[in-house]
Amino acid sequence: VDPVRLRALLEGVRSGAIDLDRAADELRRLPFEALGEVAKVGHALATRVAADKAAEVVARVPGALYHEVARAVSVGSPPPSGRGEVAVVAAGTSDLPILEEALVTLAHLGVRGRRIVDVGVAGLGRVVAVTESIRLAQAVIVVAGMEGALPAVVAGLTDRPILAVPTSVGYGVGLGGFVAMLSMLASCSPGVAVVNIDNGFGAAIAAARILRAAEAA
Amino acid sequence: VDPVRLRALLEGVRSGAIDLDRAADELRRLPFEALGEVAKVGHALATRVAADKAAEVVARVPGALYHEVARAVSVGSPPPSGRGEVAVVAAGTSDLPILEEALVTLAHLGVRGRRIVDVGVAGLGRVVAVTESIRLAQAVIVVAGMEGALPAVVAGLTDRPILAVPTSVGYGVGLGGFVAMLSMLASCSPGVAVVNIDNGFGAAIAAARILRAAEAA
Amino acid sequence: VDPVRLRALLEGVRSGAIDLDRAADELRRLPFEALGEVAKVGHALATRVAADKAAEVVARVPGALYHEVARAVSVGSPPPSGRGEVAVVAAGTSDLPILEEALVTLAHLGVRGRRIVDVGVAGLGRVVAVTESIRLAQAVIVVAGMEGALPAVVAGLTDRPILAVPTSVGYGVGLGGFVAMLSMLASCSPGVAVVNIDNGFGAAIAAARILRAAEAA
Amino acid sequence: VDPVRLRALLEGVRSGAIDLDRAADELRRLPFEALGEVAKVGHALATRVAADKAAEVVARVPGALYHEVARAVSVGSPPPSGRGEVAVVAAGTSDLPILEEALVTLAHLGVRGRRIVDVGVAGLGRVVAVTESIRLAQAVIVVAGMEGALPAVVAGLTDRPILAVPTSVGYGVGLGGFVAMLSMLASCSPGVAVVNIDNGFGAAIAAARILRAAEAA
Amino acid sequence: VDPVRLRALLEGVRSGAIDLDRAADELRRLPFEALGEVAKVGHALATRVAADKAAEVVARVPGALYHEVARAVSVGSPPPSGRGEVAVVAAGTSDLPILEEALVTLAHLGVRGRRIVDVGVAGLGRVVAVTESIRLAQAVIVVAGMEGALPAVVAGLTDRPILAVPTSVGYGVGLGGFVAMLSMLASCSPGVAVVNIDNGFGAAIAAARILRAAEAA
Amino acid sequence: VDPVRLRALLEGVRSGAIDLDRAADELRRLPFEALGEVAKVGHALATRVAADKAAEVVARVPGALYHEVARAVSVGSPPPSGRGEVAVVAAGTSDLPILEEALVTLAHLGVRGRRIVDVGVAGLGRVVAVTESIRLAQAVIVVAGMEGALPAVVAGLTDRPILAVPTSVGYGVGLGGFVAMLSMLASCSPGVAVVNIDNGFGAAIAAARILRAAEAA
Amino acid sequence: VDPVRLRALLEGVRSGAIDLDRAADELRRLPFEALGEVAKVGHALATRVAADKAAEVVARVPGALYHEVARAVSVGSPPPSGRGEVAVVAAGTSDLPILEEALVTLAHLGVRGRRIVDVGVAGLGRVVAVTESIRLAQAVIVVAGMEGALPAVVAGLTDRPILAVPTSVGYGVGLGGFVAMLSMLASCSPGVAVVNIDNGFGAAIAAARILRAAEAA
Amino acid sequence: VDPVRLRALLEGVRSGAIDLDRAADELRRLPFEALGEVAKVGHALATRVAADKAAEVVARVPGALYHEVARAVSVGSPPPSGRGEVAVVAAGTSDLPILEEALVTLAHLGVRGRRIVDVGVAGLGRVVAVTESIRLAQAVIVVAGMEGALPAVVAGLTDRPILAVPTSVGYGVGLGGFVAMLSMLASCSPGVAVVNIDNGFGAAIAAARILRAAEAA
């Protein structure tokens, strides 16, 4: 199922434009439709689901699971395939929900993810400590809010492609993640490309595409 | 040599902060320094070089070539290596300089690039005509100005990773490429990640990293 | 009745600046006033009405109907007149409320509307499938959020005038519909003109004016 | 020929990315290609051409004319067809180039245009004086800079569709036409839709589509 | 008492930073302090007071009155003095709270105000009808949201100084009154000056200063 | 003559859209037209005229004078009338051209102006020194760039109406006067109203209207 | 403990991403970890804590105190050390929470703070009255919202380093503190540097670093 | 002499508003006036002076020197005093002019500066190599463009106060230094405060104030 549409469905649920029964119906019928990139038969994933909405969906859709920190609902998940893995790096406690959204999405796509946390630009010792771990991956997702400097630092540590996810953490002049996003784009670090604010889901899709391209080569 | 620094050097030349002799000196000494990702011994690349500055550099640095549309100077270039290739897609005549900057950079990195032009969202026939060609690549760079819609369309045609480059073509409300960039980020198309405005160079580096990750896997 | 004033009245209700009795009074007296463009005697239309406010109005104003998805209240509606029709096209589930607002407004103005949904730039097959249907209309309203690329694609399919309505769907860098709006304006697609964010009402008024101009010609 | 491409060609000329001979070649071959909406065999139109560039094109392309105030080059022009006409209204001397761009484009499309100038919101007497003239048209293009209020006033005078063109006249807080554009979109005047800043060309295309829809009905 | 400080006091109440008893204390002591421009002994005025807060203040401060539409609390009010008056003009129902804030403030300052409503740029007949009434005033306050065009129109009708108040009415591209404000500033209408968004209070202070300057002359 | 139109005429001259002869013609005929607020028979004023353009106008229009710092051309000027005067206050050397534009405009309108310069918020001694001088005026124009704080300080020194003119002095984060303008609007200082960036002309018109209102009272 | 991380922890609590028990655990373990700059063994500080969250933390963490106006929780606090002190200046009642956040942070770092309030640019008498008090400090923190002009005034009174804290007080065009922040940066006042909006905490850290540098010299 | 005024003077020179003789006069008379913070008798400093203007000033003012990279003119300079020093750190070649502006200003104020260059976030080895050097200073100025991440990294290396200077290096989404500036403010790094874009002069003044506060303590 097209992930954009799935997200739209759940957004409809959240805003009240679509009632629960209709949404659950549509979710239940997903396996019988021609499915696209993300979902395989029996598989579905929706992100940005509030806890109360998730509880209703889980109660109505057999096999549905709620991933609390990631705020995602998944139905079915394949075992990991292929040899590669994606490192998912984040600096602070506040970035964890987006990091988990990326990891849940990778798992749903059958891609191994490696969680690397507590990595901030103000503590270079910690950065050095995880360098080897980062270098083991075929692609790296870097989740960062505030000033968005972490991807530039990681780009100096590895020659793998890097997907930067700005987050809306912080207040004041952070402008809801906008400054982190612009900062990541402005830095011109080699090999870094950027996705939408808080879009751990999109970064995981892109990373999975990179790994598949590697396996197909 | 670190591409950011190389660019800074040439920017210094352009603005007059660094005089030509010093810049040429520094360029000439590059092979004897420890070189980083982009350049190998004997190889160097600089982008955004105006024709008159380029002429002076070419006259002083043996082996330097000026790529006119791409506005890039290269010194030495390896033969292509590996099996994969990168498709570089652009819609309009005005996007060609950025498309060429990406292609020159890929060539300099020893990566094959495939030029696919004249592909606009208002002419679906042409889009369909190049679909097969796009699907042959391991990664796709999409260069687009105006409303920046082309990457979303291409993302529906292939499951390879896509690097979107917004361009500063256009006038009025385009805000120097800002609208195209925000539009690419906002579209949430699966597998699309974005680099800075007019940054064909950065997209090529990221694409080359993807191909290397594939070859190392 | 001037639609701007009617909207202001309901906004006063929503914000609490005007109490319900006064608003209902004013609505009830509408048929006896000199009515302007939108409403004929016995006819009135208000958009952006929350469900609870609507229930009160419906209970007090004889003949008032609440259109739930469109979030509009109408009083009386003429049968369709004239031969032409307006196609109203939208991509995603989340754009449906604005599409319905446009359709309810067209109906209220006695203009036939044709609903065409599930048309996204990432699925060209679906776009091709509805091309004939779009070409039957004298004018086309295109409702799109995210990156706002759909009007440019539709402009390539028909030579009718196109009214683009950006929607505030999405999050992060979408800026509440602002990016979609700027993208539509920047695209310079021939024949496309743009109305305010989420303004299905305004697009319908403009489309009705186009059909009337055709009939008067 | 696709107007966007034609414009891109001329932009290439202006920026120096495309040399004159190649541009003239491409312009000369235009009649033999499959032509799109704007140009018929033997007909071509390019806007935003500086006087010196225009002189070279006129010297090389037989039949090419330069419209000085509109800054447009046309090759061939059909006689007006159909019965309808488009009123093109502007307030100040500074808006004249955009008004003329719209009129030249209309003429090139075989559509009659009516020039109505010196109409400002601060002089209501003049507005009243041209009301009858405005009401004769099937569609109205309103060109306005500064605060962009004129379209809202015109919308109160006629029930025809109105295309508003913000212009980049003025200084200080006008933000290069941005304020006029936002103002036109924010006004929610019934029947008004907006095109890009200074885009008299686009407004004319849209107006011509409206007249054709009328004639086809 | 300095109006900025008084406003800050009430804002403290609203946000909970200052408790009610302390605020009421401070309000009660106002007459015994050295009072500034706005308040005379026994007089005080606070704007932007929510109904529930106002009820508590009114219950504790003898002589305090709540002006519901204006959302203002006043304590004592002088009889009007001087011969001049200020016209306060607004277009729509939604602008009324700000118009009333201006009128309550004028009354509190002992200045006569004249309420002129339902004056929109899309209905020139109504504008003409109130021209005489506007011309009787020594200064004019114009309250307008949406596209903010009304002050430019009024400036064409009178040679008195005009104070424009943008309002945050509307949605979408209105940006919370920002577009109206920029539009008023960009219009360069002779004799128009602008105050902050929704700041009926500030416009009234400025108008009162104008009348006093006249009386002192 | 309508000052907006006069300015548009000169802008046309500056941009080359209107040739000199036509402009001079139009300027020469001004006295015989029905003249509006600014100009009386024999009188005309144009601002923002570059030195070279001004020289040509002065050479062709009898009686035309060029005010160099103000960058204004005037034709004829009445002797001052009335008893009141307007203080025009500026902080820095860079604000002088706008201060002079205001003074020339006042002189042209027959209003006395008083020049008060070198008044900055970082030097309170100087502020205190000019307080008496400021208090003599019936209205005060305050010209300030950078952070735009001067009007708030002046508002604490006098109870006259204050017209604040933000200037585009400075660099970096000043955003071409935008920050000064927003700062002046945000300060909520009692009695302060704001005109467009660098618009000394508009402030003078508003101040003259205030003095006339006083004299008519 | 790194203050950024501590803040992130509390933000997790506020948003519900981290439950209370886990947060309290982590807070309790803080003394046994290697602590960084702010906290010493037994000491911890968290800012921006809502009253209800604070109550829970205070109930679970021995020695925790809630500072109500500052909205901060502290655990342990050293006695002041060193001879210097920091003046913390604010204009209005609404700025007090940020002023108190700075003072609590200073106290927690063992630095003496001096509270100077009710200092506004519109009342120069009060500014003069506190000049001596300001001059006694080694560093000055100036907290100001609205137009952000106070730091420029203070910079004229002392030759000590000044840290400016913009606050989000106000409405309309203040843009949530953004205008005050830009205004402070634009003013180019000698010796003034700026921190994030509402960041009294950050200003206090910077001021403490200044005093330590003085003591180490 | 007040540095703001001095800068305004030179800006007047640059823009042509003030002629050279008058500027040179004013510069020559500086020693005899009461001088403020920056300049002592015989001393003066002006920044942002283009080479050609500087040549004229140097030719007319005895003792004037032009610092080419810093683009500054100084007249007289004291020997360094005090024991402390300020480290001035920059990443790239393009940031050097601002770094030099800071160093020249420090020298003019009699403060020792230490130049530390080639320090970028993408090369942690180099950062580690200069850590000791940075820790020797009493205050640190960090000059950085692009994404503005360097101050956050430096804040993790030293507990001295840090003054961050965003630079306008780069293109595309960097927005002329705006992104670097917002990024520095958003990062909330402890001890970091920010000055205006490209304002090496202001950072040096602030750093000198810090050192003086240390010496006075």
Side-chain angles (χ1 to χ4, degrees):
Chain A
V1 70
D2 167 30
V4 170
R5 194 172 154 209
L6 199 50
R7 181 167 294 193
L9 178 68
L10 270 297
E11 279 176 2
V13 169
R14 183 170 48 190
S15 68
I18 303 172
D19 68 63
L20 254 298
D21 288 314
R22 183 171 144 213
D25 258 22
E26 214 168 307
L27 271 175
R28 215 177 284 118
R29 277 180 300 117
L30 287 174
F32 310 109
E33 293 181 359
L35 291 172
E37 172 185 23
V38 176
K40 299 212 173 49
V41 173
H43 302 165
L45 176 69
T47 58
R48 314 215 150 195
V49 191
D52 56 334
K53 300 289 181 194
E56 294 187 59
V57 174
V58 166
R60 291 165 193 238
V61 183
L65 288 177
Y66 185 52
H67 308 264
E68 194 175 332
V69 179
R71 302 181 69 222
V73 172
S74 67
V75 182
S77 263
S81 68
R83 288 161 310 173
E85 72 175 22
V86 176
V88 189
V89 184
T93 305
S94 302
D95 298 322
L96 292 184
I98 304 306
L99 172 136
E100 293 294 331
E101 181 180 300
L103 285 166
V104 165
T105 306
L106 287 171
H108 194 76
L109 297 166
V111 173
R112 276 188 197 84
R114 177 187 291 262
R115 179 187 287 97
I116 302 176
V117 295
D118 260 330
V119 183
V121 294
L124 295 186
R126 175 73 184 144
V127 172
V128 169
V130 299
T131 297
E132 282 318 301
S133 185
I134 286 172
R135 286 183 176 154
L136 292 174
Q138 271 66 45
V140 186
I141 294 171
V142 184
V143 180
M146 308 283 197
E147 85 295 343
L150 192 56
V153 172
V154 172
L157 302 177
T158 175
D159 58 1
R160 294 307 185 214
I162 293 168
L163 295 154
V165 190
T167 62
S168 56
V169 167
Y171 58 96
V173 80
L175 298 176
F178 216 79
V179 170
M181 187 191 79
L182 293 178
S183 174
M184 288 165 172
L185 285 160
S187 75
C188 294
S189 296
V192 177
V194 182
V195 299
N196 202 351
I197 296 166
D198 290 337
N199 194 0
F201 172 83
I205 302 270
R209 286 187 169 209
I210 289 172
L211 260 69
R212 272 184 210 143
E215 283 154 13
Chain B
V1 70
D2 167 30
V4 171
R5 194 171 154 209
L6 199 49
R7 180 166 297 195
L9 177 68
L10 270 295
E11 280 176 2
V13 169
R14 182 169 47 190
S15 68
I18 303 173
D19 68 65
L20 254 298
D21 289 313
R22 183 171 144 213
D25 258 22
E26 213 167 308
L27 272 174
R28 217 177 285 118
R29 278 180 299 118
L30 286 174
F32 310 108
E33 293 181 359
L35 291 171
E37 172 187 23
V38 177
K40 298 207 178 49
V41 172
H43 301 165
L45 177 69
T47 59
R48 315 212 149 196
V49 190
D52 56 334
K53 300 288 180 194
E56 295 187 59
V57 174
V58 166
R60 292 166 193 236
V61 182
L65 289 177
Y66 185 52
H67 307 264
E68 194 175 335
V69 180
R71 302 180 70 221
V73 172
S74 67
V75 183
S77 264
S81 67
R83 288 160 308 174
E85 71 174 24
V86 175
V88 188
V89 185
T93 304
S94 301
D95 298 322
L96 291 184
I98 304 305
L99 172 137
E100 292 295 332
E101 180 181 301
L103 285 166
V104 165
T105 307
L106 287 171
H108 194 77
L109 296 165
V111 174
R112 276 188 199 84
R114 178 186 291 261
R115 179 188 287 96
I116 302 176
V117 295
D118 261 328
V119 183
V121 295
L124 295 186
R126 176 72 185 144
V127 172
V128 169
V130 298
T131 298
E132 281 319 300
S133 186
I134 287 172
R135 286 183 176 154
L136 291 174
Q138 270 66 47
V140 186
I141 293 171
V142 185
V143 180
M146 307 286 195
E147 84 296 342
L150 192 57
V153 172
V154 172
L157 303 177
T158 174
D159 59 0
R160 294 307 186 214
I162 291 166
L163 296 154
V165 190
T167 62
S168 56
V169 167
Y171 58 96
V173 80
L175 298 176
F178 216 80
V179 169
M181 187 191 79
L182 293 179
S183 175
M184 288 165 172
L185 285 159
S187 75
C188 294
S189 297
V192 177
V194 182
V195 299
N196 202 352
I197 296 166
D198 290 336
N199 194 0
F201 173 82
I205 302 271
R209 285 187 170 209
I210 289 172
L211 260 70
R212 272 184 209 143
E215 283 153 14
Chain C
V1 69
D2 168 30
V4 170
R5 194 171 154 208
L6 198 52
R7 181 167 296 192
L9 178 68
L10 270 296
E11 279 176 2
V13 169
R14 183 170 48 191
S15 69
I18 303 172
D19 68 63
L20 255 298
D21 288 315
R22 183 171 144 212
D25 259 23
E26 212 165 309
L27 273 174
R28 216 176 286 118
R29 277 180 301 119
L30 287 174
F32 309 109
E33 293 182 0
L35 291 170
E37 171 185 24
V38 177
K40 301 213 172 45
V41 172
H43 301 165
L45 177 69
T47 59
R48 314 214 148 196
V49 190
D52 56 334
K53 301 287 181 197
E56 295 186 58
V57 173
V58 166
R60 292 164 192 238
V61 182
L65 287 177
Y66 185 52
H67 307 266
E68 194 176 334
V69 178
R71 302 181 69 221
V73 173
S74 68
V75 184
S77 263
S81 68
R83 289 160 309 173
E85 73 175 20
V86 176
V88 188
V89 184
T93 305
S94 303
D95 298 323
L96 292 184
I98 304 307
L99 171 137
E100 292 294 332
E101 181 180 301
L103 285 165
V104 165
T105 307
L106 287 171
H108 194 76
L109 296 166
V111 173
R112 277 189 197 83
R114 178 187 290 261
R115 180 188 286 97
I116 302 177
V117 295
D118 260 329
V119 183
V121 294
L124 295 186
R126 175 73 184 143
V127 172
V128 170
V130 299
T131 298
E132 282 318 301
S133 185
I134 287 172
R135 286 183 176 152
L136 292 174
Q138 270 67 46
V140 186
I141 294 171
V142 184
V143 180
M146 307 285 195
E147 84 294 342
L150 193 56
V153 172
V154 172
L157 303 176
T158 175
D159 58 1
R160 294 306 186 214
I162 292 167
L163 295 153
V165 190
T167 62
S168 57
V169 167
Y171 59 97
V173 80
L175 298 176
F178 216 78
V179 169
M181 187 191 79
L182 294 179
S183 175
M184 289 165 171
L185 285 159
S187 75
C188 293
S189 296
V192 177
V194 182
V195 299
N196 202 352
I197 296 166
D198 291 335
N199 194 0
F201 172 82
I205 301 271
R209 286 187 170 209
I210 289 171
L211 261 69
R212 272 183 210 145
E215 284 153 15
Chain D
V1 70
D2 167 30
V4 171
R5 194 171 154 208
L6 199 50
R7 179 167 297 193
L9 178 68
L10 270 296
E11 280 176 1
V13 169
R14 181 169 48 189
S15 69
I18 303 174
D19 67 64
L20 254 299
D21 289 314
R22 184 172 144 211
D25 259 23
E26 214 167 307
L27 273 174
R28 217 176 285 118
R29 279 180 298 119
L30 286 175
F32 310 108
E33 293 181 359
L35 291 171
E37 172 186 24
V38 177
K40 299 211 176 48
V41 172
H43 301 164
L45 176 70
T47 59
R48 312 211 151 199
V49 191
D52 56 334
K53 300 289 179 195
E56 295 186 57
V57 175
V58 166
R60 292 165 193 236
V61 182
L65 288 176
Y66 185 53
H67 308 266
E68 194 175 335
V69 179
R71 301 179 71 221
V73 172
S74 67
V75 184
S77 265
S81 67
R83 288 160 309 174
E85 73 175 22
V86 176
V88 189
V89 184
T93 305
S94 302
D95 298 322
L96 292 184
I98 304 306
L99 173 135
E100 292 295 332
E101 181 181 300
L103 284 166
V104 165
T105 306
L106 287 171
H108 194 77
L109 297 166
V111 174
R112 275 188 200 83
R114 178 188 290 262
R115 178 187 289 97
I116 302 176
V117 296
D118 261 328
V119 184
V121 295
L124 295 186
R126 175 74 184 143
V127 172
V128 170
V130 298
T131 298
E132 281 319 301
S133 186
I134 287 171
R135 286 184 176 151
L136 291 174
Q138 271 65 48
V140 185
I141 294 171
V142 184
V143 180
M146 306 285 197
E147 83 297 341
L150 192 57
V153 172
V154 172
L157 302 178
T158 175
D159 59 0
R160 293 307 186 215
I162 292 166
L163 295 154
V165 190
T167 62
S168 56
V169 167
Y171 58 96
V173 81
L175 298 176
F178 218 79
V179 169
M181 187 190 79
L182 293 179
S183 176
M184 288 165 173
L185 285 159
S187 75
C188 294
S189 296
V192 177
V194 182
V195 299
N196 202 352
I197 296 165
D198 289 336
N199 195 0
F201 173 81
I205 302 270
R209 285 187 171 212
I210 289 171
L211 260 69
R212 273 183 210 145
E215 284 153 14
Chain E
V1 71
D2 167 31
V4 171
R5 193 169 157 210
L6 198 50
R7 181 167 294 192
L9 177 68
L10 270 296
E11 280 176 2
V13 168
R14 183 170 48 189
S15 69
I18 303 174
D19 68 63
L20 254 299
D21 288 316
R22 184 172 143 212
D25 260 25
E26 214 166 307
L27 274 174
R28 215 175 286 118
R29 277 180 301 120
L30 287 174
F32 309 109
E33 294 181 359
L35 291 171
E37 171 186 24
V38 179
K40 300 210 173 47
V41 172
H43 301 167
L45 176 69
T47 58
R48 315 215 148 195
V49 191
D52 55 334
K53 301 288 181 195
E56 296 186 57
V57 174
V58 166
R60 292 165 192 237
V61 182
L65 288 177
Y66 186 52
H67 308 265
E68 194 175 336
V69 178
R71 302 180 70 222
V73 173
S74 67
V75 184
S77 264
S81 67
R83 289 159 310 173
E85 72 176 18
V86 176
V88 188
V89 184
T93 305
S94 303
D95 298 322
L96 292 184
I98 304 306
L99 172 137
E100 292 295 332
E101 181 180 301
L103 285 165
V104 165
T105 306
L106 287 171
H108 194 75
L109 296 165
V111 173
R112 277 190 197 81
R114 177 188 291 262
R115 178 188 287 96
I116 302 176
V117 294
D118 261 328
V119 183
V121 294
L124 295 186
R126 174 74 184 142
V127 172
V128 170
V130 299
T131 298
E132 281 319 302
S133 186
I134 287 171
R135 286 183 176 154
L136 292 174
Q138 270 67 46
V140 186
I141 294 172
V142 184
V143 180
M146 307 285 196
E147 84 295 340
L150 192 56
V153 172
V154 172
L157 304 177
T158 175
D159 60 359
R160 293 307 186 213
I162 293 167
L163 295 154
V165 190
T167 62
S168 55
V169 167
Y171 58 96
V173 80
L175 298 176
F178 216 78
V179 169
M181 187 191 78
L182 294 178
S183 175
M184 288 165 172
L185 285 159
S187 75
C188 293
S189 296
V192 177
V194 183
V195 299
N196 202 353
I197 296 166
D198 290 336
N199 194 1
F201 172 82
I205 302 270
R209 286 187 170 209
I210 289 170
L211 260 68
R212 273 183 210 145
E215 283 153 13
Chain F
V1 70
D2 168 29
V4 170
R5 189 166 159 214
L6 199 51
R7 180 167 296 192
L9 178 69
L10 271 295
E11 280 175 2
V13 169
R14 182 170 46 189
S15 68
I18 303 173
D19 67 64
L20 255 298
D21 288 315
R22 182 169 146 214
D25 259 23
E26 214 166 306
L27 274 173
R28 216 175 285 117
R29 278 180 297 119
L30 287 174
F32 309 108
E33 294 180 359
L35 291 170
E37 171 185 25
V38 177
K40 298 212 174 48
V41 172
H43 301 165
L45 176 68
T47 58
R48 313 211 151 199
V49 190
D52 56 333
K53 301 287 180 196
E56 295 186 58
V57 174
V58 166
R60 292 165 193 239
V61 182
L65 288 177
Y66 186 53
H67 307 265
E68 193 175 336
V69 179
R71 303 178 70 221
V73 172
S74 67
V75 183
S77 264
S81 67
R83 287 160 311 173
E85 72 175 21
V86 176
V88 188
V89 184
T93 305
S94 302
D95 298 322
L96 291 184
I98 304 305
L99 172 137
E100 292 295 332
E101 181 181 301
L103 285 165
V104 165
T105 306
L106 287 170
H108 194 76
L109 297 166
V111 173
R112 275 188 199 83
R114 178 187 290 260
R115 179 188 288 97
I116 301 176
V117 295
D118 260 328
V119 183
V121 295
L124 295 186
R126 175 74 184 142
V127 172
V128 170
V130 299
T131 297
E132 281 319 301
S133 185
I134 287 171
R135 286 184 176 151
L136 291 174
Q138 271 66 48
V140 186
I141 294 172
V142 184
V143 180
M146 306 285 196
E147 84 295 341
L150 192 57
V153 172
V154 173
L157 304 177
T158 175
D159 60 0
R160 292 306 185 215
I162 292 166
L163 295 153
V165 190
T167 62
S168 56
V169 167
Y171 59 96
V173 80
L175 298 175
F178 217 78
V179 169
M181 187 191 78
L182 293 178
S183 175
M184 288 165 173
L185 285 160
S187 75
C188 293
S189 296
V192 176
V194 182
V195 299
N196 202 353
I197 296 166
D198 290 336
N199 194 0
F201 173 82
I205 301 272
R209 286 187 170 209
I210 288 170
L211 260 69
R212 273 185 210 143
E215 283 152 15
Chain G
V1 70
D2 167 31
V4 171
R5 193 170 155 210
L6 198 51
R7 180 167 295 193
L9 177 69
L10 270 296
E11 279 176 2
V13 168
R14 182 171 46 189
S15 68
I18 303 173
D19 68 63
L20 253 299
D21 288 314
R22 184 171 144 212
D25 258 23
E26 214 167 308
L27 273 174
R28 215 177 286 118
R29 277 180 301 118
L30 286 174
F32 309 108
E33 294 181 359
L35 292 171
E37 172 185 23
V38 177
K40 299 211 175 46
V41 172
H43 302 166
L45 176 70
T47 58
R48 314 213 150 195
V49 191
D52 56 334
K53 300 288 181 194
E56 295 186 58
V57 175
V58 166
R60 292 165 193 236
V61 182
L65 287 177
Y66 185 53
H67 308 264
E68 195 175 333
V69 178
R71 302 180 70 222
V73 172
S74 67
V75 184
S77 264
S81 67
R83 287 161 310 175
E85 72 174 20
V86 176
V88 189
V89 184
T93 306
S94 302
D95 298 322
L96 292 184
I98 304 305
L99 172 136
E100 292 295 332
E101 181 181 300
L103 285 165
V104 165
T105 306
L106 288 171
H108 194 77
L109 296 165
V111 173
R112 276 188 199 83
R114 176 187 293 261
R115 178 187 289 96
I116 302 176
V117 295
D118 261 328
V119 183
V121 294
L124 294 186
R126 175 72 185 144
V127 172
V128 170
V130 299
T131 298
E132 282 320 300
S133 185
I134 287 171
R135 286 182 175 155
L136 291 174
Q138 270 66 46
V140 186
I141 294 172
V142 184
V143 180
M146 307 285 197
E147 84 296 341
L150 192 56
V153 173
V154 172
L157 303 177
T158 175
D159 59 0
R160 293 308 186 211
I162 292 167
L163 295 153
V165 190
T167 62
S168 56
V169 167
Y171 58 96
V173 81
L175 298 176
F178 217 78
V179 169
M181 187 190 79
L182 294 179
S183 175
M184 288 165 172
L185 285 160
S187 74
C188 295
S189 295
V192 176
V194 182
V195 299
N196 202 352
I197 297 166
D198 290 337
N199 194 1
F201 173 82
I205 302 269
R209 285 187 170 209
I210 290 171
L211 261 68
R212 272 184 210 143
E215 284 153 13
Chain H
V1 70
D2 167 29
V4 170
R5 192 167 155 213
L6 198 50
R7 180 167 297 192
L9 178 68
L10 270 294
E11 280 176 1
V13 169
R14 183 170 46 191
S15 68
I18 302 172
D19 69 64
L20 254 299
D21 288 314
R22 182 170 145 214
D25 259 22
E26 212 165 309
L27 273 174
R28 217 176 285 117
R29 278 180 298 118
L30 287 174
F32 311 108
E33 293 182 359
L35 291 171
E37 173 185 25
V38 176
K40 298 209 176 48
V41 172
H43 301 166
L45 176 70
T47 59
R48 315 213 149 196
V49 190
D52 56 333
K53 301 288 181 196
E56 295 186 58
V57 174
V58 166
R60 293 167 193 237
V61 182
L65 288 177
Y66 185 52
H67 307 265
E68 194 175 336
V69 179
R71 304 180 68 220
V73 172
S74 66
V75 183
S77 264
S81 66
R83 287 159 311 172
E85 73 174 23
V86 175
V88 187
V89 184
T93 305
S94 303
D95 298 322
L96 292 184
I98 304 305
L99 172 137
E100 293 294 332
E101 180 180 301
L103 285 165
V104 166
T105 307
L106 288 171
H108 194 76
L109 297 165
V111 173
R112 275 188 199 83
R114 178 188 291 261
R115 179 188 286 98
I116 302 177
V117 295
D118 260 329
V119 183
V121 295
L124 296 186
R126 176 74 184 143
V127 172
V128 170
V130 299
T131 298
E132 282 320 300
S133 186
I134 287 172
R135 286 185 176 150
L136 292 173
Q138 271 66 47
V140 186
I141 293 172
V142 184
V143 179
M146 308 284 195
E147 85 294 343
L150 193 57
V153 172
V154 173
L157 303 176
T158 175
D159 58 0
R160 293 307 185 215
I162 292 167
L163 295 154
V165 190
T167 62
S168 56
V169 167
Y171 59 97
V173 80
L175 298 176
F178 216 79
V179 169
M181 187 191 80
L182 293 179
S183 175
M184 288 165 172
L185 286 159
S187 75
C188 293
S189 296
V192 177
V194 182
V195 299
N196 202 351
I197 296 166
D198 290 336
N199 194 0
F201 173 81
I205 302 270
R209 286 188 169 208
I210 289 171
L211 261 68
R212 274 185 208 141
E215 283 153 13

